[in-house]
Amino acid sequence: EVQLVESGGGLVQPGRSLKLSCVASGFTFSNYGMNWIRQAPGKGLEWVAYISSGSSYIYYAETVKGRFTISRDNAKNTLYLQMTSLRSEDTALYYCASPMDPNGDWFAYWGQGTLVTVSS
Amino acid sequence: DVVLTQSPATLSVTPGERISLSCRASESVDTYLHWYQQKPNESPRLLIKYASQSISGIPSRFSGSGSGTDFTLSINGVELEDLSIYYCQQGNSLPFTFGSGTKLEIK
């Protein structure tokens, strides 16, 4: 069974940093690109970042470029999102998601999400 | 960025109805358009990929159509369990973008 389990969320002050993790199981993690997608409370979905299977290709939404860093450790089946200079508008439920397809631009599998709250 | 406009924002339905939800792109996305269902307090679930391709495990009452800038998600015979928010998403160009969603509620 495919599982994506996020962790690392919490309450953090504006300007501080936080690192999210997503542990994958039930599939060959190293074969697929991975994404972070977020959802502010009561709002819609926003794509945040993408990393290719071998980390060669990395893309960010303009809203987080220069502040967030996506990375992965294929030996540990884990995806990361390092978030710095956090702002109140970064408050959201953060999902990791994958197309489970080498060329997929959709999101077939999602984790349950980890909540990040940026507030003083 | 490609802007996806979904309409209506809210749709009141009667169980058994056939309904259609619209997603319009600000520029052509070919058929790189995907649909998701999100129930309260749950993660989104992929319903349709590439505008009209079905997904294993998704009930056959869900179907998609369209290409270019105009897309439709249809539900043939709405069931109570379908009450959710539906999002479209384009994968034709980065950044990937989502529509603002259509909420299905009971009439």
Side-chain angles (χ1 to χ4, degrees):
Chain A
E1 179 194 4
V2 171
Q3 277 202 314
L4 298 170
V5 180
E6 303 95 335
S7 62
L11 175 63
V12 61
Q13 293 179 326
R16 303 298 290 265
S17 300
L18 203 61
K19 187 172 186 177
L20 308 182
S21 299
C22 168
V23 176
S25 61
F27 66 102
T28 306
F29 179 72
S30 58
N31 282 356
Y32 304 110
M34 296 293 297
N35 298 267
W36 287 100
I37 295 163
R38 68 184 181 183
Q39 187 169 35
K43 303 297 184 182
L45 300 164
E46 180 188 16
W47 171 81
V48 173
Y50 164 85
I51 185 168
S52 62
S53 57
S55 304
S56 297
Y57 300 97
I58 289 175
Y59 305 102
Y60 297 98
E62 283 298 322
T63 51
V64 307
K65 193 178 291 185
R67 300 186 300 121
F68 290 11
T69 302
I70 189 172
S71 63
R72 64 191 295 163
D73 185 336
N74 287 342
K76 295 182 177 180
N77 288 348
T78 304
L79 174 72
Y80 302 101
L81 186 68
Q82 176 70 54
M83 305 185 293
T84 64
S85 303
L86 283 162
R87 307 166 179 168
S88 58
E89 54 265 36
D90 296 318
T91 293
L93 188 62
Y94 284 74
Y95 297 102
C96 62
S98 176
M100 220 63 69
D101 179 290
N103 299 307
D105 51 270
W106 60 88
F107 311 111
Y109 291 91
W110 300 64
Q112 84 290 346
T114 186
L115 182 62
V116 173
T117 303
V118 184
S119 174
S120 53
Chain B
D1 298 1
V2 176
V3 176
L4 298 178
T5 301
Q6 291 188 243
S7 61
T10 304
L11 185 60
S12 297
V13 302
T14 301
E17 267 189 271
R18 175 181 170 85
I19 64 167
S20 294
L21 311 182
S22 172
C23 177
R24 182 163 292 177
S26 59
E27 62 188 75
S28 176
V29 297
D30 196 352
T31 57
Y32 293 93
L33 191 288
H34 319 299
W35 290 95
Y36 302 84
Q37 175 192 59
Q38 187 176 32
K39 297 182 179 182
N41 300 313
E42 293 187 9
S43 303
R45 177 173 72 150
L46 179 67
L47 294 177
I48 299 287
K49 67 180 184 182
Y50 289 143
S52 61
Q53 290 187 14
S54 58
I55 302 297
S56 175
I58 300 300
S60 59
R61 63 181 180 274
F62 292 95
S63 63
S65 63
S67 66
T69 60
D70 289 312
F71 300 88
T72 300
L73 175 69
S74 297
I75 308 177
N76 190 9
V78 172
E79 300 188 5
L80 280 177
E81 66 179 23
D82 300 335
L83 301 180
S84 310
I85 299 177
Y86 293 84
Y87 294 98
C88 56
Q89 173 249 324
Q90 67 83 20
N92 185 61
S93 61
L94 287 163
F96 298 140
T97 50
F98 291 87
S100 55
T102 291
K103 183 178 182 180
L104 229 54
E105 59 180 31
I106 284 288
K107 190 178 291 184

Short mmCIF file of all heavy atoms in Angstrom, two decimals, chain A residues 5 13 17 23 32 36 42 47 50 67 71 75 77 79 83 88-90 94-96 99 101-102 108 110 115:
data_model
loop_
_atom_site.label_atom_id
_atom_site.label_comp_id
_atom_site.label_asym_id
_atom_site.label_seq_id
_atom_site.Cartn_x
_atom_site.Cartn_y
_atom_site.Cartn_z
N VAL A 5 3.69 10.00 4.56
CA VAL A 5 3.41 10.49 5.91
C VAL A 5 4.27 11.72 6.19
O VAL A 5 5.50 11.62 6.31
CB VAL A 5 3.68 9.41 6.97
CG1 VAL A 5 3.39 9.96 8.36
CG2 VAL A 5 2.84 8.17 6.69
N GLN A 13 7.19 31.34 14.92
CA GLN A 13 7.08 32.80 14.82
C GLN A 13 7.47 33.30 13.44
O GLN A 13 8.30 32.66 12.76
CB GLN A 13 7.98 33.44 15.87
CG GLN A 13 7.54 33.20 17.31
CD GLN A 13 8.48 33.84 18.30
OE1 GLN A 13 9.69 33.93 18.08
NE2 GLN A 13 7.92 34.29 19.42
N SER A 17 12.37 29.51 11.04
CA SER A 17 12.48 28.42 10.07
C SER A 17 11.81 27.16 10.58
O SER A 17 11.58 27.00 11.79
CB SER A 17 13.95 28.12 9.79
OG SER A 17 14.60 29.26 9.26
N VAL A 23 7.77 10.84 4.67
CA VAL A 23 8.32 9.50 4.52
C VAL A 23 7.40 8.68 3.62
O VAL A 23 6.19 8.61 3.86
CB VAL A 23 8.48 8.81 5.88
CG1 VAL A 23 8.97 7.38 5.69
CG2 VAL A 23 9.45 9.60 6.76
N TYR A 32 10.33 8.33 -8.78
CA TYR A 32 9.30 9.33 -9.08
C TYR A 32 9.61 10.71 -8.54
O TYR A 32 10.18 10.88 -7.46
CB TYR A 32 7.96 8.87 -8.52
CG TYR A 32 7.54 7.52 -9.03
CD1 TYR A 32 7.53 6.41 -8.20
CD2 TYR A 32 7.20 7.35 -10.37
CE1 TYR A 32 7.18 5.16 -8.68
CE2 TYR A 32 6.85 6.11 -10.86
CZ TYR A 32 6.84 5.01 -10.01
OH TYR A 32 6.49 3.79 -10.50
N TRP A 36 5.44 19.32 -3.10
CA TRP A 36 4.78 19.85 -1.92
C TRP A 36 3.65 20.76 -2.41
O TRP A 36 3.84 21.58 -3.32
CB TRP A 36 5.74 20.65 -1.05
CG TRP A 36 6.71 19.80 -0.29
CD1 TRP A 36 8.01 19.56 -0.60
CD2 TRP A 36 6.45 19.11 0.94
NE1 TRP A 36 8.58 18.74 0.33
CE2 TRP A 36 7.65 18.44 1.30
CE3 TRP A 36 5.34 18.97 1.77
CZ2 TRP A 36 7.76 17.65 2.45
CZ3 TRP A 36 5.45 18.18 2.91
CH2 TRP A 36 6.65 17.54 3.23
N GLY A 42 -9.36 26.82 5.15
CA GLY A 42 -10.57 27.21 4.46
C GLY A 42 -10.37 27.67 3.02
O GLY A 42 -11.31 28.18 2.40
N TRP A 47 0.17 24.73 -5.36
CA TRP A 47 1.40 23.98 -5.57
C TRP A 47 2.58 24.82 -5.07
O TRP A 47 2.64 26.02 -5.34
CB TRP A 47 1.55 23.65 -7.05
CG TRP A 47 2.88 23.08 -7.40
CD1 TRP A 47 3.28 21.78 -7.24
CD2 TRP A 47 3.99 23.77 -7.95
NE1 TRP A 47 4.58 21.63 -7.67
CE2 TRP A 47 5.04 22.83 -8.11
CE3 TRP A 47 4.22 25.09 -8.34
CZ2 TRP A 47 6.28 23.19 -8.64
CZ3 TRP A 47 5.44 25.45 -8.86
CH2 TRP A 47 6.46 24.51 -9.00
N TYR A 50 8.51 21.26 -6.65
CA TYR A 50 8.67 19.95 -7.29
C TYR A 50 10.14 19.58 -7.30
O TYR A 50 11.01 20.45 -7.48
CB TYR A 50 8.17 20.00 -8.73
CG TYR A 50 8.64 18.84 -9.59
CD1 TYR A 50 7.95 17.63 -9.59
CD2 TYR A 50 9.79 18.94 -10.38
CE1 TYR A 50 8.39 16.56 -10.36
CE2 TYR A 50 10.23 17.88 -11.15
CZ TYR A 50 9.53 16.69 -11.14
OH TYR A 50 9.96 15.63 -11.90
N ARG A 67 13.04 31.29 -0.36
CA ARG A 67 12.81 31.07 1.07
C ARG A 67 12.68 29.58 1.40
O ARG A 67 13.06 29.16 2.50
CB ARG A 67 11.54 31.79 1.53
CG ARG A 67 11.55 33.29 1.33
CD ARG A 67 10.32 33.95 1.95
NE ARG A 67 9.07 33.47 1.37
CZ ARG A 67 8.10 32.89 2.08
NH1 ARG A 67 8.23 32.70 3.38
NH2 ARG A 67 6.98 32.50 1.47
N SER A 71 14.12 19.07 -1.05
CA SER A 71 15.21 18.11 -1.23
C SER A 71 14.68 16.72 -0.94
O SER A 71 13.56 16.57 -0.46
CB SER A 71 16.39 18.44 -0.31
OG SER A 71 16.01 18.34 1.04
N ALA A 75 17.78 7.21 -0.27
CA ALA A 75 18.18 6.07 0.59
C ALA A 75 17.26 5.95 1.80
O ALA A 75 17.08 4.86 2.34
CB ALA A 75 19.62 6.24 1.04
N ASN A 77 14.06 7.18 1.65
CA ASN A 77 12.67 7.31 1.16
C ASN A 77 11.97 8.54 1.75
O ASN A 77 10.79 8.48 2.14
CB ASN A 77 11.85 6.05 1.50
CG ASN A 77 12.25 4.85 0.67
OD1 ASN A 77 12.97 4.99 -0.32
ND2 ASN A 77 11.79 3.69 1.05
N LEU A 79 11.25 12.85 1.64
CA LEU A 79 11.20 14.15 0.98
C LEU A 79 11.22 15.22 2.07
O LEU A 79 10.64 15.03 3.15
CB LEU A 79 9.90 14.25 0.18
CG LEU A 79 9.56 15.58 -0.48
CD1 LEU A 79 10.48 15.83 -1.68
CD2 LEU A 79 8.09 15.61 -0.91
N MET A 83 11.89 25.42 5.23
CA MET A 83 11.21 26.70 5.09
C MET A 83 11.89 27.74 5.97
O MET A 83 12.06 27.51 7.18
CB MET A 83 9.74 26.54 5.49
CG MET A 83 9.01 25.44 4.73
SD MET A 83 7.25 25.36 5.11
CE MET A 83 7.33 24.83 6.81
N SER A 88 3.18 35.02 7.83
CA SER A 88 1.84 34.58 8.24
C SER A 88 1.10 33.92 7.08
O SER A 88 0.32 32.98 7.27
CB SER A 88 1.04 35.77 8.77
OG SER A 88 0.95 36.79 7.80
N GLU A 89 1.36 34.39 5.86
CA GLU A 89 0.68 33.83 4.70
C GLU A 89 1.17 32.43 4.32
O GLU A 89 0.62 31.80 3.42
CB GLU A 89 0.78 34.75 3.48
CG GLU A 89 2.17 35.17 3.11
CD GLU A 89 2.57 36.51 3.70
OE1 GLU A 89 2.17 36.82 4.85
OE2 GLU A 89 3.30 37.27 3.00
N ASP A 90 2.20 31.93 5.01
CA ASP A 90 2.65 30.55 4.81
C ASP A 90 1.87 29.57 5.68
O ASP A 90 2.06 28.35 5.57
CB ASP A 90 4.15 30.42 5.12
CG ASP A 90 5.02 31.23 4.18
OD1 ASP A 90 4.73 31.23 2.97
OD2 ASP A 90 5.99 31.86 4.66
N TYR A 94 0.36 21.41 4.81
CA TYR A 94 1.32 21.09 3.76
C TYR A 94 1.24 19.60 3.44
O TYR A 94 1.42 18.75 4.33
CB TYR A 94 2.74 21.46 4.19
CG TYR A 94 3.00 22.95 4.11
CD1 TYR A 94 2.46 23.81 5.05
CD2 TYR A 94 3.76 23.49 3.07
CE1 TYR A 94 2.66 25.18 4.98
CE2 TYR A 94 3.98 24.86 2.99
CZ TYR A 94 3.42 25.70 3.94
OH TYR A 94 3.63 27.06 3.86
N TYR A 95 0.96 19.30 2.18
CA TYR A 95 0.88 17.93 1.69
C TYR A 95 2.10 17.60 0.83
O TYR A 95 2.54 18.45 0.04
CB TYR A 95 -0.33 17.74 0.78
CG TYR A 95 -1.69 17.93 1.39
CD1 TYR A 95 -2.41 19.11 1.18
CD2 TYR A 95 -2.31 16.92 2.12
CE1 TYR A 95 -3.68 19.28 1.69
CE2 TYR A 95 -3.58 17.08 2.63
CZ TYR A 95 -4.26 18.25 2.41
OH TYR A 95 -5.54 18.42 2.91
N CYS A 96 2.59 16.39 0.94
CA CYS A 96 3.48 15.88 -0.10
C CYS A 96 2.61 15.03 -1.04
O CYS A 96 1.63 14.43 -0.62
CB CYS A 96 4.65 15.09 0.46
SG CYS A 96 4.23 13.59 1.36
N PRO A 99 2.82 11.92 -8.59
CA PRO A 99 2.01 11.35 -9.66
C PRO A 99 2.14 9.83 -9.74
O PRO A 99 1.30 9.17 -10.34
CB PRO A 99 2.59 11.99 -10.92
CG PRO A 99 3.99 12.32 -10.56
CD PRO A 99 3.98 12.66 -9.10
N ASP A 101 4.22 8.37 -11.50
CA ASP A 101 4.43 8.15 -12.93
C ASP A 101 5.66 8.98 -13.29
O ASP A 101 5.76 10.13 -12.89
CB ASP A 101 3.21 8.63 -13.71
CG ASP A 101 3.37 8.44 -15.21
OD1 ASP A 101 4.20 9.17 -15.82
OD2 ASP A 101 2.69 7.58 -15.78
N PRO A 102 6.58 8.44 -14.06
CA PRO A 102 7.82 9.17 -14.36
C PRO A 102 7.60 10.53 -15.03
O PRO A 102 8.40 11.44 -14.87
CB PRO A 102 8.58 8.21 -15.27
CG PRO A 102 8.06 6.87 -14.92
CD PRO A 102 6.61 7.07 -14.59
N ALA A 108 -1.37 11.83 -7.91
CA ALA A 108 -2.17 10.64 -7.71
C ALA A 108 -2.23 10.21 -6.24
O ALA A 108 -3.24 9.68 -5.78
CB ALA A 108 -1.63 9.49 -8.55
N TRP A 110 -1.41 11.37 -2.16
CA TRP A 110 -1.23 12.48 -1.24
C TRP A 110 -1.03 11.95 0.18
O TRP A 110 -1.61 10.92 0.55
CB TRP A 110 -2.47 13.37 -1.22
CG TRP A 110 -2.85 14.01 -2.51
CD1 TRP A 110 -3.26 13.38 -3.66
CD2 TRP A 110 -2.89 15.41 -2.79
NE1 TRP A 110 -3.54 14.31 -4.63
CE2 TRP A 110 -3.33 15.56 -4.12
CE3 TRP A 110 -2.60 16.55 -2.04
CZ2 TRP A 110 -3.49 16.83 -4.73
CZ3 TRP A 110 -2.77 17.80 -2.64
CH2 TRP A 110 -3.21 17.93 -3.96
N LEU A 115 0.37 20.49 9.54
CA LEU A 115 -0.07 21.88 9.68
C LEU A 115 1.05 22.78 10.15
O LEU A 115 1.68 22.52 11.18
CB LEU A 115 -1.25 21.95 10.65
CG LEU A 115 -1.87 23.34 10.86
CD1 LEU A 115 -2.45 23.88 9.56
CD2 LEU A 115 -2.94 23.27 11.94
#
